[in-house]
């Protein structure tokens, strides 16, 4: 059986048919809560699990949705379908404002900020006279559909689970798309994504807004299901509990959100009846148990409980359906011999250290230029100055006749400069093909809505056709369905070159592509680079290994202690006593 094709519809039918079975009302109510929790938790899978942005404040967005629904229905008699829309819109606005302020923060500042705004929203809600302060609002009407009230039991169950499953489908679709891959690229630092032309800030905001929208939808359902709202379910405690559900279930997996919500709700209920009996007094003792369980989960199953379930399910396999896909657009390439890159007296100082001391060189179309030198010579720093990762202390960089000095790397990438990294940067849990497809980001246009509605499939086929073609170009097409993290270092480096090629570059920059490779792999890499040169590509090759660049390059720039020792043909460089001295460390 094809799980991907039939598994989900079967699960949907099963879940939606449940209330027709003789299941006690108690369990239907439990499942209602689980559905509501899972929707919020799904947002955290996207935000925390996939994008790597931890939020303790999601409960506040649930509150925004719930209070909007309750207030507008009770005070203004508005239709719930209208209040759903208004609540979501309000959450989007709040998320955009909070995101704009906080999402540029790094490290632990961001989670702290989520605590801060979580508390702010909670206390704002709690202190508003018109929202009933700590008593909240009573008498929210149930949702009616075609004139019949859905009530608070089996009727609303169907509605909750339609929303929950639709949300799961939306997130699943999103993750397998152009914006989804961009979001998946956020977790391991932003340098690689930016080098592929992705605005990482933009996608952080998108993930944040989507998580807020899901929380808000859950709040809307919650208000009509509970028929009353008060501030307590929207506080920091609950925000932590949502995060706990996501982590418990498996914060990187869509279905982990459901598993975490289910386990938490059921265990919480059992503990609430069991613990007071054991201890003799009543109180929120389950929180203590959850705290201990969380520590155990983080230690022994950091990927959550879903790993235990997921391993029994067949791994999703991409069907190769792009055989006849249309080609992606190509950029204008420089003519052979045209000046592509002009580096003029670039300089970088780190405090008192001059890492790059007024280095100049040029690259013409079709050339392979080597930049070599001992470790610490300033090669990577020069490379990062050219590609916009580091800002220049002084100097000029012109690319195809225009200055790119001071531009961020993603805008330089847009002009046709593409690179690899000295330490491979990839998304290990994505396939080789998907990693390479990341390179085609700027050649495609589909956005979040298109991805969720699956209106991006034609473009996706073109993109995957291109990614496969680039893998073929470097002789790796057979490995395209493997997980990138499972590859050895050699193939990983080649994959990075395929990803860079997928951008359709006018200039390719490689930072120590041969480092850590075995002799055979180095030869294979040299063959690939020779072939790329034959195809007319211009390449800047930063290398430590002198032998590797000798047979490949047209010209070589040698650096030592940040300065240029010599520039010349491989023969001239090889014959130079200064270079030999620099490499052997002898006096000259
Ligand atoms: P290479 O790539 O040739 O081995 P690098 O460009 O990485 O050399 O480093 C050149 C010099 O600049 C080294 O002395 C290194 O310690 C220093 N350096 C590199 N990056 C930084 C940084 N971010 N802050 C301070 N010093 C740095
Ligand atoms: Mg280096």
């Amino acid at each position: 059986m094809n799980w991907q094709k039939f598994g989900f519809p079967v699960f949907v039918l099963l879940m939606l048919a449940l209330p027709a079975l003789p299941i006690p009302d108690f369990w239907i109510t439990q499942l209602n809560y689980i559905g509501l929790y899972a929707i919020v938790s799904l947002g955290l899978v996207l935000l925390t699990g996939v994008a790597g942005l931890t939020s303790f404040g999601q409960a506040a967005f649930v509150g925004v949705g719930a209070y909007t629904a309750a207030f507008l229905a009770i005070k203004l008699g508005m239709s719930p379908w209208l209040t759903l829309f208004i609540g979501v819109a309000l959450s989007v606005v709040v998320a955009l404002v909070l995101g704009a302020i906080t999402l540029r923060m790094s490290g632990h500042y961001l989670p702290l900020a989520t605590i801060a705004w979580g508390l702010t929203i909670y206390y704002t809600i709690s202190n508003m006279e018109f929202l009933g302060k700590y008593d909240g609002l009573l008498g929210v009407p149930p949702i009616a559909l075609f004139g019949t009230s859905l009530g608070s039991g089996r009727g609303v169950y169907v509605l909750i689970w339609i929303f929950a499953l639709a949300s799961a489908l939306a997130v699943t679709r999103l993750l397998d798309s152009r914006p989804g891959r961009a979001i998946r690229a956020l977790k391991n630092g932003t340098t690689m994504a930016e080098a592929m032309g992705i605005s990482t800030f933009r996608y952080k905001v998108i993930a944040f807004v989507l998580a807020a929208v899901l929380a808000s939808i859950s709040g809307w359902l919650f208000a009509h299901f509970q028929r009353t709202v008060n501030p307590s379910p929207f506080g920091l405690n609950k925000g932590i509990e949502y995060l706990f559900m996501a982590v418990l279930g498996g914060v990187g997996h869509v279905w982990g959100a459901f598993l975490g919500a289910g386990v938490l709700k059921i265990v919480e209920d059992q503990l609430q009846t069991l613990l007071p009996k054991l201890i003799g007094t009543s109180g929120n003792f389950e929180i203590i148990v959850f705290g201990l369980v969380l520590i155990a989960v983080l230690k022994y199953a950091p990927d959550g409980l879903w790993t235990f379930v997921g391993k029994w399910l067949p791994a999703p396999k991409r069907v190769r359906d792009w055989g006849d896909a249309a080609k992606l657009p190509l950029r204008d390439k420089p003519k052979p011999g045209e000046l592509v890159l002009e580096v003029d007296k670039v300089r970088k100082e780190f405090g008192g250290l001059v890492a790059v001391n007024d280095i100049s060189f040029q690259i013409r179309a079709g050339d392979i230029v080597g930049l070599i030198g001992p470790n610490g010579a300033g090669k990577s720093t020069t490379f990062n100055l050219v590609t916009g990762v580091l800002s220049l202390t002084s100097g000029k960089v012109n690319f195809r006749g225009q200055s790119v000095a001071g531009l961020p790397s993603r805008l330089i990438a847009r002009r046709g400069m593409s690179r690899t990294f000295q330490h491979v940067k990839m998304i290990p849990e994505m396939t080789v093909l998907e990693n390479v497809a990341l390179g085609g980001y700027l050649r495609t246009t589909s956005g979040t809505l298109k991805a969720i509605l699956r209106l991006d499939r034609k473009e996706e086929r073109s993109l995957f056709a291109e990614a496969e073609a680039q893998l073929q170009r470097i002789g790796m097409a057979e490995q395209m369905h493997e997980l990138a993290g499972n590859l050895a270092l050699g193939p990983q480096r080649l994959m990075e070159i395929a990803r860079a090629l997928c951008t359709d570059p006018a200039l390719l920059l490689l930072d120590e592509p041969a480092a850590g490779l075995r002799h055979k792999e180095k030869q294979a890499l040299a063959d690939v680079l020779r072939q790329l040169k034959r195809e007319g590509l211009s390449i800047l090759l930063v290398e430590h290994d002198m032998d590797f660049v000798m047979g490949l390059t047209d010209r070589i720039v040698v650096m030592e202690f940040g300065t240029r020792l010599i520039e010349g043909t491989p023969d001239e460089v090889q014959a130079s006593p200064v270079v030999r001295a620099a490499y052997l460390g002898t006096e000259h």
Side-chain angles (χ1 to χ4, degrees), residues 403-463:
S403 170
V404 293
L407 286 185
S409 62
R410 85 190 141 83
L411 297 184
I412 298 181
R414 198 173 274 274
R415 297 189 181 189
M417 215 192 265
S418 195
R419 66 170 295 182
T420 63
F421 295 86
Q422 181 170 351
H423 304 285
V424 175
K425 291 190 196 296
M426 55 172 182
I427 308 173
E429 58 272 15
M430 255 169 33
T431 64
V432 171
L433 190 72
E434 290 166 332
N435 269 283
V436 173
L438 212 50
Y441 177 83
L442 286 176
R443 301 168 72 188
T444 47
T445 58
S446 295
T448 308
L449 202 60
K450 252 189 168 178
I452 290 173
L453 298 174
R454 287 264 130 150
L455 298 175
D456 61 341
R457 291 299 103 179
K458 190 158 160 270
E459 188 182 75
E460 285 282 286
R461 277 197 292 279
S462 296
L463 177 57

Side-chain angles (χ1 to χ4, degrees), residues 379-380 422 511-512:
K379 305 181 297 293
S380 289
Q422 181 170 351
D511 195 354
E512 304 218 15

Side-chain angles (χ1 to χ4, degrees), residues 9 20 50 97 167 282 289 340 344 413 498 551:
V50 178
V97 172
S167 305
S282 60
V289 178
V340 179
D344 185 21

